[in-house]
């Protein structure tokens, strides 16, 4: 029977993204089928999702958790980039190489690591693995999942309060169930707040391999199309592609809503920050750190670990001073959050 551990949530603030990357793991194919020994103290290793480090969103949030663990536990860490057009076998080799070198835990950042992690975890049963945004059934794997729909509902409340045209937009990176959760929560939040507001939705690609999470130009083009349809608040759940949405919104002087990290505070997006109303937060960094700490404490988390509004695993940023100036916005978001937590509001995932 799969063991479900009770979540011990450790909050992590967004770390400085200017810090230098640590050494990467190798790509050895000699996996040997058992955990290796090392004299060096090796700790957390993460393998990035599509878009890699520097996306100002999902992957960078994971890196903030790695940096916190490195600083607190004083061990060597590794963060490894994906390669273009890679296969599940490539991902499996990456995870196995990190485990073979002695890194523990080893975390795959993104659902794309599912098949690879299942295979790697079986070969290295003494290593704790983690996967973000997917569930892998194994005794030594922690599945780090989030209630994205709840944060997106709050984003929908914000959009409905901020719009002047009564048309808002949603740009999803890839047409998959994970991103459907973002869209569903957003649409419900908009409708519950103001049923007169129309939501225009678009997905950039059908598969991740087509660049839906890694193509700012695609995001920019989609946003420009929605702006032409009078959308004046654009919510993007598109990874690196979302930077193009934010750029287009800023150029048109309409609102953008960020995702995963507080994108108002991201240095790389500073020139657009005045048009980033808020961001739907997803504490990937907190999840990464929580798993690292559990291993360091000798009590590795395993099974499904759910990060939702109740544990502040998701939320909505209020960093932009303009957020508080929009009539009724802060109160509406606070009320919605309370009602989601107490069960009065049931947020859809489709």
């Amino acid at each position: 029977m799969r063991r479900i551990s009770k979540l011990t949530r450790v909050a992590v603030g967004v770390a400085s993204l200017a810090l230098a990357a640590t050494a990467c793991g190798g790509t050895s194919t000699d996996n040997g089928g058992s955990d290796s020994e090392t004299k060096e103290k090796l700790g957390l290793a993460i393998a990035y999702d599509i878009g890699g480090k520097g996306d100002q969103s999902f992957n960078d949030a994971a890196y903030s958790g790695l940096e916190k663990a490195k600083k607190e536990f004083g061990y060597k860490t590794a963060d490894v980039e994906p390669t273009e057009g890679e296969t599940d076998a490539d991902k499996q080799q990456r995870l196995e190489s990190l485990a073979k070198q002695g890194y523990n835990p080893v975390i795959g950042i993104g659902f794309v690591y599912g098949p690879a992690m299942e295979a790697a975890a079986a070969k290295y049963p003494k290593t704790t693995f983690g996967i973000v945004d997917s569930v892998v059934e194994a005794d030594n794997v922690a599945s780090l999942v989030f209630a994205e729909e709840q944060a997106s509902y709050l984003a929908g409340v914000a959009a409905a309060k901020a719009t002047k045209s009564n048309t808002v937009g949603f740009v999803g990176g890839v047409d998959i169930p994970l991103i459907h959760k973002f869209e569903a929560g957003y649409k419900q939040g908009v409708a519950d707040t103001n049923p007169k507001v129309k939501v225009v939705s678009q997905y950039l690609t059908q598969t991740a391999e087509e660049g839906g999470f890694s193509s700012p130009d695609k995001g920019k083009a989609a946003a420009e199309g929605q702006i032409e349809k009078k959308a004046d608040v654009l919510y993007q759940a598109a990874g690196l592609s979302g930077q193009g949405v934010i750029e287009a919104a800023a150029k048109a002087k309409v609102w953008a809503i960020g995702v995963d990290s507080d994108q108002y505070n991201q240095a790389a997006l500073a020139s657009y920050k005045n048009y980033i109303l808020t961001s739907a937060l997803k504490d990937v960094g907190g999840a990464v750190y929580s798993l690292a700490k559990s291993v360091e404490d000798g009590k590795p988390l395993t099974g499904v670990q759910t990060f939702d509004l109740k544990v502040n695993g998701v939320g909505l940023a209020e960093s932009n001073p303009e957020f508080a100036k929009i009539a009724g916005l802060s109160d509406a978001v606070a009320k919605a959050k309370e009602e989601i937590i107490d069960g009065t509001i049931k947020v859809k995932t489709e």
Side-chain angles (χ1 to χ4, degrees):
M1 176 179 292
R2 176 164 53 93
R3 178 158 55 103
I4 308 296
S5 300
K6 183 178 181 182
L7 173 65
T8 302
R9 198 260 180 190
V10 183
V12 178
V14 177
S16 169
L17 300 178
L19 293 174
T22 52
C24 293
T27 56
S28 170
T29 58
D30 180 18
N31 42 51
S34 63
D35 295 311
S36 66
E37 295 182 357
T38 178
K39 293 181 180 179
E40 191 174 13
K41 186 181 182 185
L42 303 181
L44 169 64
I46 61 176
Y48 291 118
D49 195 3
I50 297 164
K53 188 177 177 183
D55 65 355
Q56 312 301 316
S57 181
F58 183 64
N59 289 298
D60 283 349
Y63 180 67
S64 74
L66 178 141
E67 281 293 293
K68 181 176 176 66
K70 179 182 178 182
K71 181 178 179 180
E72 184 167 329
F73 307 135
Y75 54 35
K76 182 178 178 182
T77 59
D79 58 315
V80 189
E81 295 283 350
T83 58
E84 186 174 352
E86 68 182 20
T87 65
D88 285 340
D90 295 324
K91 294 182 180 68
Q92 180 181 338
Q93 184 183 61
R94 180 178 304 125
L95 297 175
E96 290 180 0
S97 175
L98 291 168
K100 180 179 175 61
Q101 292 174 72
Y103 288 101
N104 189 23
V106 175
I107 306 178
I109 310 301
F111 69 92
V112 293
Y113 280 96
M117 182 153 293
E118 186 173 358
K123 287 190 176 182
Y124 291 87
K126 294 181 182 178
T127 298
T128 296
F129 290 85
I131 185 166
V132 177
D133 284 346
S134 188
V135 175
V136 171
E137 302 275 357
D139 290 340
N140 58 327
V141 176
S143 299
L144 310 175
V145 297
F146 297 81
E148 295 94 350
E149 71 281 1
Q150 294 180 354
S152 297
Y153 184 100
L154 300 182
V157 172
K161 285 290 186 181
T163 183
K164 295 179 180 178
S165 67
N166 277 355
T167 300
V168 301
F170 173 79
V171 178
V174 181
D175 190 358
I176 53 175
L178 174 64
I179 307 303
H180 296 170
K181 292 171 68 181
F182 288 89
E183 181 187 16
Y186 181 64
K187 283 185 171 180
Q188 186 181 348
V190 169
D192 286 355
T193 305
N194 186 351
K196 294 181 180 179
V197 177
K198 177 183 178 182
V199 180
V200 180
S201 294
Q202 181 176 343
Y203 286 89
L204 301 180
T205 63
Q206 293 299 305
T207 67
E209 290 73 20
E210 296 172 279
F213 291 131
S214 57
S215 305
D217 58 327
K218 295 181 188 294
K220 183 178 180 181
E224 289 171 344
Q226 293 188 348
I227 292 167
E228 287 180 2
K229 296 176 181 179
K230 308 302 182 184
D232 61 354
V233 184
L234 306 179
Y235 175 39
Q236 49 83 17
L240 185 63
S241 300
Q243 293 189 30
V245 176
I246 293 172
E247 179 186 353
K251 183 178 179 181
K253 294 180 167 46
V254 301
W255 288 120
I257 296 179
V259 73
D260 296 338
S261 298
D262 186 354
Q263 297 193 296
Y264 176 83
N265 286 322
Q266 297 289 0
L269 300 174
S271 59
Y272 311 128
K273 68 184 298 181
N274 290 337
Y275 298 97
I276 303 174
L277 174 62
T278 182
S279 296
L281 302 176
K282 179 173 172 178
D283 195 9
V284 178
V288 166
Y289 173 77
S290 290
L291 183 55
K293 186 176 188 304
S294 75
V295 173
E296 186 72 7
D297 291 344
K299 300 178 180 179
L301 296 174
T302 59
V304 176
Q305 306 293 323
T306 301
F307 293 76
D308 59 12
L309 278 176
K310 288 183 180 179
V311 298
N312 290 321
V314 297
L316 195 73
E318 299 186 20
S319 300
N320 190 334
E322 296 302 316
F323 186 96
K325 296 178 183 179
I326 296 175
L329 175 51
S330 294
D331 290 343
V333 168
K335 183 174 183 291
K337 179 178 179 179
E338 181 181 335
E339 292 182 345
I340 291 171
I341 291 173
D342 70 21
T344 302
I345 295 175
K346 305 290 186 183
V347 185
K348 301 174 183 177
T349 56
E350 279 288 345

